[in-house]
Amino acid sequence: MIVDCAIYRDGTRTDGPADFSDALAEARATGDAFLWIGLHEPTEKEFELVSSEFGLHPLAVEDALTAHQRPKLEAYDDALTVVLKPVFYDEATDSVSTGELMVFLGDSFVVTVRHGRGAGLGVVRQRLEKEPEVLRHGPAAVLYAVSDAVVDAYVEVAAELQTDLEGLEADVFAPNGADAGTAARIYSFKRQVLEFRRASNPLTMPMTRLAGMGVPFVPERSRPFFRDVADHLARANESVDGLDRLLSDALAAHLAQMGVRQNDDMRKISAWAAMAAVPTMVAGIYGMNFEHMPELRQWWGYPAALLVMGGAVVALFRLFKRRGWL
């Protein structure tokens, strides 16, 4: 559905015709105005009304309707298409999810199409309307504001994930932290980081192109804004890459701890087995009841055998205890 539609003239929002075609014609006639239409998960019929008025390329229209696109920048004859992947952090479940946002830039118009959950672009629009000097840059100002909001959210989500990682590391390196559930938590965390990277890393190339030269519908005076966004994006990507490396190290440390604990358990089992084997051996020998065993007919024979077995067990116990096996 259409969330908002307005004409911006000389950096100020103004009332315009309700019809798209008339509003676009009025914006182009003045020369210092542009039309901004915001849509949320439009149906094919709803978006066809918009695309036909602005002459959007069929491939761009298909991308906008199907969603599930990677962050990218495509330049067509009549419009520039930019795909963004907003990232959201759910504090209740400590999980990361993504949405999709497409921005169409053309001659005196900009169309934003949002898919998925999360806050809309109303906050971005309100903030931009308070900065007329930025809005005077035309449709490129909207692309900058939307991109800046998405990338700033990347930085915030990366900070939240860093906090979660610190808690996970504390559990991994706790005295009794190495258990089977920890590996599942680390793997789940890595999946979230991977989802984050799929949203942030591919956006590097589009932001680099927007900050450079040769991109249609983006005036030269607007490029410094996109360089600022590219700088923030680089910082977010560095944070995500650092999280991924730390998670790999935490997983390796966890597996090493599990191996150490298994070795400790095996040493303990071996020590107790050895202590049980000596009395079993002595008892087995005496159980054969050979006739020529002098102590069999002596009153001290049975106590002596018990004493030998007990002494051997105590000696082995002290030996294993001193070596740290028990």
Side-chain angles (χ1 to χ4, degrees):
M1 63 177 180
I2 298 177
V3 178
D4 200 349
C5 176
I7 295 177
Y8 294 87
R9 180 177 293 106
D10 193 28
T12 304
R13 177 171 180 149
T14 60
D15 296 330
D19 183 78
F20 296 154
S21 180
D22 294 339
L24 181 60
E26 180 179 323
R28 287 174 174 173
T30 59
D32 61 348
F34 68 92
L35 176 66
W36 180 3
I37 298 177
L39 301 99
H40 177 236
E41 297 184 351
T43 63
E44 182 175 355
K45 185 175 182 180
E46 289 173 340
F47 196 70
E48 183 180 357
L49 296 175
V50 178
S51 61
S52 61
E53 293 292 343
F54 297 104
L56 301 180
H57 196 278
L59 292 177
V61 174
E62 181 181 355
D63 290 344
L65 292 174
T66 57
H68 305 297
Q69 304 295 317
R70 297 177 71 251
K72 63 180 180 178
L73 184 152
E74 297 285 351
Y76 299 101
D77 293 336
D78 298 324
L80 180 71
T81 303
V82 179
V83 180
L84 304 167
K85 299 283 286 187
V87 174
F88 310 100
Y89 179 81
D90 189 347
E91 294 184 359
T93 59
D94 292 334
S95 61
V96 171
S97 60
T98 59
E100 186 162 320
L101 184 60
M102 300 192 69
V103 183
F104 299 91
L105 242 68
D107 181 15
S108 301
F109 74 86
V110 56
V111 179
T112 55
V113 182
R114 184 169 61 88
H115 291 271
R117 55 148 290 183
L121 297 179
V123 176
V124 176
R125 188 186 288 262
Q126 293 173 8
R127 186 182 65 185
L128 195 56
E129 289 174 356
K130 296 178 182 178
E131 301 177 349
E133 66 281 359
V134 177
L135 269 173
R136 290 190 182 97
H137 288 258
V142 176
L143 178 58
Y144 155 71
V146 172
S147 303
D148 186 56
V150 170
V151 172
D152 285 348
Y154 288 170
V155 177
E156 295 174 0
V157 173
E160 294 286 354
L161 291 177
Q162 181 65 44
T163 302
D164 291 345
L165 177 59
E166 292 173 358
L168 180 60
E169 286 177 331
D171 293 340
V172 169
F173 294 104
N176 298 321
D179 54 41
T182 303
R185 290 177 58 195
I186 295 175
Y187 180 76
S188 176
F189 206 133
K190 285 184 72 70
R191 288 294 302 267
Q192 294 182 49
V193 172
L194 176 61
E195 186 75 11
F196 197 150
R197 296 183 69 176
R198 287 175 177 171
S200 64
N201 281 0
L203 189 58
T204 301
M205 185 59 69
M207 287 298 110
T208 302
R209 288 181 59 187
L210 290 170
M213 301 176 61
V215 179
F217 307 110
V218 178
E220 183 177 357
R221 61 195 180 100
S222 301
R223 292 171 190 160
F225 294 102
F226 294 103
R227 284 198 292 268
D228 181 68
V229 176
D231 180 67
H232 293 175
L233 178 61
R235 186 174 64 181
N237 284 334
E238 289 174 359
S239 298
V240 176
D241 291 340
L243 287 171
D244 189 59
R245 289 192 298 269
L246 288 173
L247 280 170
S248 298
D249 294 341
L251 180 59
H254 168 69
L255 295 177
Q257 282 185 319
M258 292 291 290
V260 170
R261 289 187 62 183
Q262 288 176 352
N263 289 336
D264 290 341
D265 293 340
M266 288 302 299
R267 284 199 298 265
K268 292 178 181 179
I269 293 172
S270 299
W272 287 110
M275 288 189 290
V278 172
T280 303
M281 179 188 69
V282 176
I285 292 174
Y286 275 84
M288 289 186 290
N289 294 319
F290 287 112
E291 181 179 355
H292 303 291
M293 297 180 71
E295 63 275 15
L296 290 178
R297 293 182 173 83
Q298 301 295 330
W299 65 268
W300 49 264
Y302 188 68
L306 293 178
L307 184 62
V308 170
M309 288 187 286
V313 171
V314 171
L316 288 173
F317 179 82
R318 295 183 63 182
L319 176 63
F320 293 143
K321 194 72 173 179
R322 187 166 57 248
R323 293 187 175 182
W325 286 32
L326 294 174

